[in-house]
Amino acid sequence: MDILEGFETYEKQRTSPGAPPQVTLQSRGIFSLNPSAFKVMGSPRYVELLYAADRKAVALRAVAEETQAAYQVRPANNGGAFNVAGRAFMVFHGIELNDSRRYSPQHAADGVIVIGLDSDPYVTLHATRRKAKGADTSEARPSDEGSEG
């Protein structure tokens, strides 16, 4: 009998397997999907970005590479999240954020995630980048309006 019989190798994970789908919309226009959100979408290589102005909602839909409006999904540097560059999309639709927001979308299924920019619960993430040595470190932080959910 092998001494390791019955053991399973633990695969490193940045989030727990049961973590809910979350999408962080960074103030500079990057959509960052946690592993659960990426999986709910079917682990796509490409997505389409859609906007409903009347609902103030953004949707990400998994699409094939040859789709005209396809955006590539890239693994983030941290190894856990997946990013979509959406700066031009945000500028075109006039979506402005002072700080990044981590959303818990109310709809995440069948290759589609819908984010209600004002209606879905979110947490405001304040910038944590260090300022250059000798720079003014005082900064006014906006209130967390809308972060109650």
Side-chain angles (χ1 to χ4, degrees):
M1 179 164 135
D2 182 5
I3 193 156
L4 294 179
E5 186 175 331
F7 282 86
E8 294 178 16
T9 300
Y10 172 73
E11 299 291 333
K12 291 190 282 183
Q13 299 177 8
R14 292 221 177 242
T15 43
S16 63
Q22 293 182 324
V23 178
T24 299
L25 182 48
Q26 298 178 21
S27 57
R28 61 181 194 258
I30 295 173
F31 291 82
S32 185
L33 290 75
N34 74 351
S36 295
F38 183 67
K39 188 174 182 180
V40 160
M41 294 192 71
S43 305
R45 292 183 56 214
Y46 293 88
V47 297
E48 192 172 50
L49 299 175
L50 303 100
Y51 185 66
D54 59 329
R55 293 169 47 191
K56 203 164 182 193
V58 173
L60 289 88
R61 176 172 49 191
V63 295
E65 178 179 0
E66 59 273 3
T67 304
Q68 183 177 354
Y71 286 78
Q72 188 171 13
V73 180
R74 300 178 189 271
N77 291 338
N78 66 12
F82 299 87
N83 293 339
V84 177
R87 180 76 184 144
F89 170 84
M90 288 181 62
V91 169
F92 181 82
H93 290 292
I95 301 169
E96 295 181 30
L97 299 177
N98 292 328
D99 289 299
S100 300
R101 295 179 179 179
R102 180 176 300 127
Y103 286 92
S104 296
Q106 298 303 296
H107 178 86
D110 304 320
V112 176
I113 290 180
V114 178
I115 304 160
L117 297 176
D118 291 336
S119 60
D120 281 350
Y122 67 85
V123 174
T124 301
L125 307 173
H126 298 287
T128 57
R129 288 186 225 152
R130 292 179 182 218
K131 299 211 179 244
K133 197 171 190 177
D136 178 13
T137 57
S138 63
E139 76 179 68
R141 289 195 166 169
S143 68
D144 285 337
E145 287 183 56
S147 63
E148 294 87 29

